[in-house]
Amino acid sequence: EGQTVAVLDSGIDTNHPDLAGDLVHERCVCNTGPDCCPTGGNSGDGPGSAEDDNGHGTHVAGIITSSGSVAPLGIAPDAGIVAVKVLDQNGSFCCTADIAAALDWVLNNRPDVDVVNMSLSTFDRFSTVHCAQRTPSMIGTPYPGGSIGRHSRFHCTASSS
């Protein structure tokens, strides 16, 4: 209770009955196309800027904070959600710079955020050095996130330093 979670993902369904009451703020940092952000362009802030056009971010937010009226009860139903859209309708992001910019925005503008959730993956390979250089305010460690065919996926975990 009283915790706020930033979810960096494909956004959030602002009309979902299990989530709408938990939405604290919306932000979009998405450069995969000219209109990646629902409000137009590649960035946005405020209501409507993180509307989910993929569904993954809504699913993740539901696991965290669903009130249980439509979907199962979330693990922290009294938590608030700061939805930060970094993925397009295909679940893709253009570059790690978008992720770093979103993390920096959370760190610099949302002191109420206690936890950051990023369920992101890429087929690009990251070294420990690459993850550590993403942003000076974050420490990253790559870990294998599974494999599809011959391609291994690696993820960078992040925590406040």
Side-chain angles (χ1 to χ4, degrees):
E1 188 171 320
Q3 301 295 303
T4 301
V5 180
V7 177
L8 278 63
D9 209 291
S10 63
I12 190 169
D13 178 354
T14 58
N15 297 313
H16 195 291
D18 285 334
L19 304 175
D22 297 323
L23 189 56
V24 175
H25 193 83
E26 295 177 66
R27 175 88 175 161
C28 181
V29 180
C30 187
N31 285 291
T32 60
D35 291 317
C36 187
C37 294
T39 53
N42 301 112
S43 65
D45 192 63
S49 62
E51 192 65 45
D52 194 350
D53 54 4
N54 175 276
H56 189 265
T58 299
H59 178 78
V60 170
I63 291 169
I64 298 167
T65 190
S66 172
S67 63
S69 62
V70 175
L73 188 65
I75 60 171
D78 295 325
I81 294 286
V82 173
V84 184
K85 181 175 175 63
V86 295
L87 302 178
D88 66 12
Q89 72 267 10
N90 300 312
S92 299
F93 62 94
C94 85
C95 45
T96 56
D98 281 0
I99 309 305
L103 288 168
D104 280 342
W105 178 84
V106 169
L107 288 169
N108 293 318
N109 296 284
R110 300 305 309 196
D112 56 326
V113 169
D114 302 294
V115 177
V116 173
N117 176 278
M118 300 186 304
S119 299
L120 312 172
S121 66
T122 181
F123 289 102
D124 292 336
R125 303 236 178 214
F126 295 95
S127 68
T128 302
V129 172
H130 173 81
C131 291
Q133 291 175 346
R134 286 186 315 183
T135 175
S137 56
M138 303 302 288
I139 299 171
T141 306
Y143 70 93
S147 61
I148 298 175
R150 298 180 324 187
H151 303 283
S152 295
R153 290 199 239 185
F154 286 84
H155 310 265
C156 291
T157 60
S159 60
S160 297
S161 56

